[in-house]
Amino acid sequence: MSLVTLLPFIVLIGAMFLMTRSAKKKQQQAADMRNQMQPGSGVRTIGGMYATVKEVNEDTVLLDAGPGVELLFAKNSIGAVLTDDEYNRIVHGIEHDLKSDADVVPDDASSLTETDAPAAADSDDKSVDLGKKDAADEPTADAASAEATKADEQPKKSDGGSEAK
């Protein structure tokens, strides 16, 4: 067999190797994340429930989902371990004050439509040409009637057949 014949098989085996390697890497990262869980940290389960870790065992995790609600989950069912700021923002609605220097977006658009006085004064100086002709450029009714009368007085051209007789 030649190398050209074996090339598609080699490429296919290489692609399969790379895909399994990336999948193993993701599984290892997920296992590391689950091993970092400690009592008191906020988590999200794969079902989308947010809770606080109360106790970590070898294969299970005891979660505190609310006052008097304790749930036992498998470690594999933990989708993400959240930071304290992220957990408080999602569950309690508490925003961290990192963006205090940023501009505040107003609740209504009225503050966005206000104009400054100098900008309004500049816009009054010139009118915007929208393509309409001024009254001076348009012919008046007297000029239009004079042109029509002038056209009537001029001899009309013909095809020559009717005047020849």
Side-chain angles (χ1 to χ4, degrees):
M1 293 185 121
S2 68
L3 184 62
V4 176
T5 309
L6 293 176
L7 187 63
F9 294 113
I10 294 171
V11 171
L12 182 63
I13 290 170
M16 289 173 46
F17 173 73
L18 291 175
M19 286 191 296
T20 56
R21 189 172 137 214
S22 65
K24 283 182 182 179
K25 188 184 254 187
K26 286 182 183 180
Q27 287 176 349
Q28 184 63 37
Q29 287 176 346
D32 291 343
M33 180 256 322
R34 289 184 188 111
N35 290 332
Q36 291 175 356
M37 281 189 297
Q38 298 174 356
S41 59
V43 295
R44 182 184 70 234
T45 65
I46 58 173
M49 184 182 72
Y50 292 92
T52 305
V53 176
K54 189 167 186 179
E55 183 180 317
V56 180
N57 298 321
E58 189 173 325
D59 293 332
T60 60
V61 179
L62 185 64
L63 300 179
D64 183 18
V69 180
E70 293 179 352
L71 304 168
L72 186 64
F73 277 85
K75 263 190 175 179
N76 291 340
S77 65
I78 303 300
V81 177
L82 307 172
T83 63
D84 290 337
D85 291 337
E86 186 178 9
Y87 181 77
N88 287 332
R89 179 183 59 81
I90 293 169
V91 175
H92 303 295
I94 299 171
E95 291 288 332
H96 196 273
D97 199 20
L98 291 176
K99 300 178 184 177
S100 63
D101 296 336
D103 293 334
V104 177
V105 178
D107 291 336
D108 59 345
S110 63
S111 63
L112 300 174
T113 58
E114 294 175 0
T115 59
D116 297 333
D122 292 342
S123 65
D124 290 340
D125 292 344
K126 277 187 180 175
S127 61
V128 178
D129 182 23
L130 298 176
K132 293 183 179 180
K133 295 181 179 179
D134 291 336
D137 294 342
E138 294 180 6
T140 59
D142 295 335
S145 62
E147 286 181 22
T149 310
K150 194 178 200 183
D152 289 340
E153 294 175 357
Q154 291 179 354
K156 294 185 181 180
K157 295 182 180 176
S158 64
D159 59 353
S162 61
E163 292 181 29
K165 293 183 182 177

